[in-house]
Amino acid sequence: MSASELTGGCQCGAVRFRVGRVGRGSICHCRMCQKAFGAFYAPLISAFEVTWTRGAPTYFQSSNKVQRGFCAACGTPLTYEVIGRHTSEETEIAIGAFDDPERVAPTIQVNPNDKLSFTDQLPTLPTRAVDA
């Protein structure tokens, strides 16, 4: 997918990025992603030709193979990166960090063995609008 003007950043604006193109979007259910995002799963998309246009992520090595980038100022999860792989090759970026996440929707779910039992029922929960 062409990424014409696909940009994003953290919640506070200290870290911003632009990507040249994107690949497959996924929902990861593994426990490390649940913890890293503080959520039921992690929505990520493969991004190529990533350029940090303001600031840069701080990294936490979550395993011997993976490091995760986040904003040191506000804590927004930003990346999932295989250690030793140059970011121009491929960086998984949090879908919610994009300015227009509708353009980078997930197409697959991965690590289903760690999927929390209640996630399939989330759409059936009652809803109400809350002012932020």
Side-chain angles (χ1 to χ4, degrees), residues 2 67 70 82 100:
S2 171
Q67 64 182 7
F70 62 95
V82 175
D100 186 1

Side-chain angles (χ1 to χ4, degrees), residues 8-11 14-17 32-33 35-38 42-45 50 52 54-63 65-83 85 87 90-98:
C10 66
Q11 187 172 5
V15 179
R16 298 279 306 155
F17 62 85
M32 274 198 298
C33 279
K35 290 203 174 250
F37 277 72
L44 297 158
I45 191 156
V50 176
W52 300 104
R54 181 182 312 138
T58 297
Y59 292 95
F60 169 72
Q61 188 170 333
S62 59
S63 75
K65 296 180 181 178
V66 172
Q67 64 182 7
R68 295 168 185 272
F70 62 95
C71 173
C74 68
T76 300
L78 295 168
T79 69
Y80 170 100
E81 299 175 36
V82 175
I83 295 170
R85 181 186 290 164
T87 58
E90 181 179 11
T91 299
E92 297 282 330
I93 295 186
I95 290 174
F98 281 85

Side-chain angles (χ1 to χ4, degrees), residues 28-42 68 111 113-116 119:
C28 183
H29 292 284
C30 82
R31 281 299 290 148
M32 274 198 298
C33 279
Q34 290 170 12
K35 290 203 174 250
F37 277 72
F40 307 141
Y41 45 77
R68 295 168 185 272
N111 296 310
N113 291 340
D114 291 331
K115 185 176 182 179
L116 298 173
T119 57

